[in-house]
Amino acid sequence: MSARSDGSAEDGERRFRRGAIPLVAKETFLGEGMMRWTLAIAALAAAVGLLVAQEKKQQTLCYKFKKGETLKYRLTGSMKEERDDAGTKSGSERSLQAVVSVAVKETKADGATLAVKGEKFKCTAVTKGPDGTSTVTVDSEKWENPKPDDPQRFDKVGLKGALEAEAEDDVTARHLKFMYALGGYGLQVSAGVVVLPEKAVKVGASWEETIECTVGSTDMFKLKFKYELASVEGGVALIKGELVGAESAFGDAVKVTRSKGAVEARLDVEKGCLKSVKARIELETGADSPAGEGKKAIGKILVEEGLEEAK
């Protein structure tokens, strides 16, 4: 042993105070720190590389159907209509919260037959007119058969029946065009306004489609959307759409004087199923009133729907 290091406890303490031992510990710590930073940078570079690769890759976006498969979604929606027919005002409002099951009944060459029904739901429908306002609410979890003297008995039973009845719609691998689902009270302005591209696309690519869709209580419109594949992350494609044109599906009798709308959808690329949709459509219309020559009927419609995959 040298005079400077005799191996005793006292010698170890002296060396610690002089900094000999901390010097070795500090170097070791710096080495470990550099290693952690190197690994972190490598992981970040790999993630960025994967993201760039996904953006450059051609993505085939389509719905994939398996006979017997059932998906469940949470649906929220609201609708408001206002009409002014030569001074006579009327309107309607509706709100809906539901858990919806979508079952694949049959598969076809380019699509499937889907059976849709509401498993849980709460819906409020309000009708306004010259004779006053009527409000009907149906809650599947608090349902009681209306009494015979209930003036809304048929409205309540009819609304409940429309939401819980299993309705079948034929759809394609590009478009979930729901016509009969939920009695027309939901899915038309959410899943129904998302149209996937005909061919594989890269991130940033856009395409246009015109669809026919019920907006509001009864009116059918032709809606032109411009879509874009905004991103693909973690195997999920984000599709954004903007309403760029609208007209009545019944010809020139009704004119769309103003239209605005947007949709945002998330699609699981590998599974070929929607994860979520948010949509909003606003329309203003004008037409000749049956009340007399030169008189006009004006309408406003606002529909919002949200769809989210239920676990």
Side-chain angles (χ1 to χ4, degrees):
M1 291 289 181
S2 67
R4 296 183 61 191
S5 176
D6 58 13
S8 66
E10 291 80 2
D11 177 65
E13 184 177 351
R14 287 194 301 270
R15 296 182 65 217
F16 179 83
R17 289 176 178 175
R18 288 199 307 268
I21 295 176
L23 179 62
V24 176
K26 182 178 180 181
E27 291 172 346
T28 303
F29 173 77
L30 288 174
E32 292 175 350
M34 287 298 294
M35 179 63 71
R36 285 195 293 268
W37 273 106
T38 301
L39 292 174
I41 292 171
L44 179 60
V48 170
L50 178 61
L51 182 59
V52 171
Q54 287 184 327
E55 289 182 346
K56 291 183 178 180
K57 180 183 177 182
Q58 293 276 1
Q59 302 286 340
T60 300
L61 307 179
C62 65
Y63 298 115
K64 300 174 184 178
F65 307 107
K66 296 180 181 179
K67 185 175 180 178
E69 182 180 36
T70 298
L71 302 176
K72 291 188 179 182
Y73 293 93
R74 290 187 181 88
L75 173 69
T76 59
S78 65
M79 181 277 293
K80 183 177 182 180
E81 289 180 311
E82 298 177 1
R83 302 184 188 88
D84 187 336
D85 188 350
T88 300
K89 296 183 179 182
S90 62
S92 59
E93 297 180 18
R94 185 172 66 237
S95 64
L96 173 65
Q97 299 86 41
V99 174
V100 180
S101 66
V102 181
V104 182
K105 302 290 285 188
E106 297 289 342
T107 57
K108 303 178 181 181
D110 184 37
T113 299
L114 304 183
V116 182
K117 65 180 297 184
E119 295 191 348
K120 296 180 182 179
F121 49 83
K122 181 178 181 181
C123 184
T124 298
V126 180
T127 304
K128 301 177 181 179
D131 298 329
T133 300
S134 172
T135 302
V136 177
T137 298
V138 171
D139 189 333
S140 63
E141 295 187 312
K142 299 179 180 179
W143 173 258
E144 293 182 2
N145 288 322
K147 296 180 180 179
D149 59 349
D150 186 341
Q152 296 181 333
R153 178 163 59 100
F154 293 109
D155 293 331
K156 292 177 179 177
V157 172
L159 180 56
K160 178 176 181 289
L163 292 170
E164 69 182 359
E166 184 176 273
E168 295 187 0
D169 281 294
D170 290 327
V171 301
T172 71
R174 296 180 57 227
H175 186 201
L176 302 181
K177 184 178 180 180
F178 290 111
M179 294 291 292
Y180 307 106
L182 303 177
Y185 287 96
L187 294 181
Q188 286 77 13
V189 182
S190 54
V193 297
V194 179
V195 184
L196 303 179
E198 287 185 310
K199 57 185 180 181
V201 294
K202 295 180 181 180
V203 170
S206 62
W207 62 99
E208 294 186 358
E209 293 288 345
T210 298
I211 59 175
E212 288 194 359
C213 177
T214 301
V215 183
S217 56
T218 58
D219 294 334
M220 181 79 75
F221 294 91
K222 294 180 180 179
L223 306 177
K224 184 177 181 179
F225 277 90
K226 183 176 182 179
Y227 304 94
E228 179 189 2
L229 178 57
S231 66
V232 178
E233 296 182 12
V236 177
L238 174 62
I239 301 165
K240 294 184 177 182
E242 180 184 2
L243 181 63
V244 294
E247 62 182 67
S248 171
F250 302 117
D252 295 333
V254 177
K255 298 285 188 180
V256 176
T257 57
R258 177 178 174 270
S259 62
K260 183 180 180 181
V263 60
E264 185 172 297
R266 294 168 62 245
L267 175 78
D268 187 311
V269 178
E270 182 177 353
K271 294 181 179 179
C273 65
L274 282 174
K275 295 185 72 65
S276 66
V277 183
K278 292 189 294 184
R280 176 186 174 94
I281 295 177
E282 297 178 68
L283 299 175
E284 293 183 11
T285 62
D288 292 332
S289 171
E293 185 176 351
K295 295 185 177 181
K296 296 295 182 180
I298 300 172
K300 294 182 180 181
I301 307 172
L302 170 62
V303 181
E304 295 180 283
E305 276 192 11
L307 191 67
E308 186 175 4
E309 192 177 33
K311 300 299 183 180

